[in-house]
Amino acid sequence: SARLELDELRYAARRIEQVIARARVERGRAVLDVRGALQGGRLAGDASARPFDSVTTFVIRRAALDSVDLGTLLGRPDLAGPVTVGATGNGRWGESAKAVKARVTVAPSRLGQVQVTRGILDAELAGERLTYEAALRTTGGSFALEGDGRPMADVPSYVVRAGRVDSLDLGTLLGRDTLSTDLGARFTASLAGTGIDSMLARLDFELLPSR
């Protein structure tokens, strides 16, 4: 077992305080628990794994940021504001078995002038195939994607089978009051390749009645 306590760490405007991390390994099972203050908010993590088995298994019961100022933390003061986001997941990882499921949720948050009212991402990796579905609703519009990909193939590829943008207000997103818009669109896309020279990309975009 191990325990780490960090009273305070500052770097320019970035700040971490009162972090306590506990780790324990017992009969092949590892457990990690982290709590602390981060950039005006709180962070928390609770996970377990069996890293020494032939196939590693893990469970992320909770990984969360509560009211953390991500803009300041990332050196982007234009995106300052409290962000609340959480994640859960589980999986198996080995030579013959790769399977991961994860969910990320965004609670009401703020990034600069943009208010985020709700967000969700569900992703699943089974073997080499990744499937995902994501949606985000903000005061500057809403976005939704669903598709799949093969990120670990010799030639990685990704597909957006259905993409949607509704009530997109560029003025709100860009901080320009004179650029008020109401845009809607549907699109599909695909991308394959390991570099610019070998990349193949396609975008089919339909602009709906907009302002």
Side-chain angles (χ1 to χ4, degrees), residues 137-153:
R137 185 178 295 276
T138 76
T139 52
S142 60
F143 311 82
L145 295 172
E146 63 177 85
D148 55 65
R150 295 184 177 275
M152 295 184 295

Side-chain angles (χ1 to χ4, degrees), residues 43-174:
L43 68 88
D46 180 8
S48 63
R50 299 193 65 87
F52 309 113
D53 291 357
S54 58
V55 176
T56 298
T57 58
F58 65 90
V59 177
I60 301 173
R61 295 181 184 83
R62 183 183 182 224
L65 300 177
D66 186 1
S67 301
V68 173
D69 185 350
L70 279 187
T72 302
L73 184 66
L74 299 175
R76 290 288 305 274
D78 56 313
L79 298 179
V83 172
T84 299
V85 59
T88 58
N90 62 80
R92 299 165 53 86
W93 199 268
E95 290 295 330
S96 59
K98 292 181 176 65
V100 178
K101 286 185 178 181
R103 165 169 280 201
V104 179
T105 56
V106 182
S109 305
R110 181 169 59 85
L111 289 170
Q113 299 184 23
V114 179
Q115 299 282 345
V116 179
T117 56
R118 182 177 181 272
I120 190 167
L121 166 65
D122 284 310
E124 181 176 355
L125 179 68
E128 289 190 353
R129 186 169 184 260
L130 169 71
T131 56
Y132 65 89
E133 184 173 349
L136 184 68
R137 185 178 295 276
T138 76
T139 52
S142 60
F143 311 82
L145 295 172
E146 63 177 85
D148 55 65
R150 295 184 177 275
M152 295 184 295
D154 293 338
V155 179
S157 61
Y158 302 90
V159 175
V160 178
R161 301 203 179 278
R164 187 173 74 249
V165 176
D166 294 297
S167 304
L168 185 67
D169 186 349
L170 294 179
T172 298
L173 296 178
L174 301 177

Side-chain angles (χ1 to χ4, degrees), residues 13-61:
R14 300 169 180 87
R15 187 171 72 254
I16 303 175
E17 299 173 307
Q18 301 172 349
V19 174
I20 299 177
R22 303 181 182 89
R24 185 177 75 253
V25 178
E26 183 177 358
R27 297 182 180 179
R29 182 173 181 263
V31 178
L32 175 66
D33 180 82
V34 180
R35 299 287 186 276
L38 175 65
Q39 207 66 43
R42 305 290 300 177
L43 68 88
D46 180 8
S48 63
R50 299 193 65 87
F52 309 113
D53 291 357
S54 58
V55 176
T56 298
T57 58
F58 65 90
V59 177
I60 301 173
R61 295 181 184 83

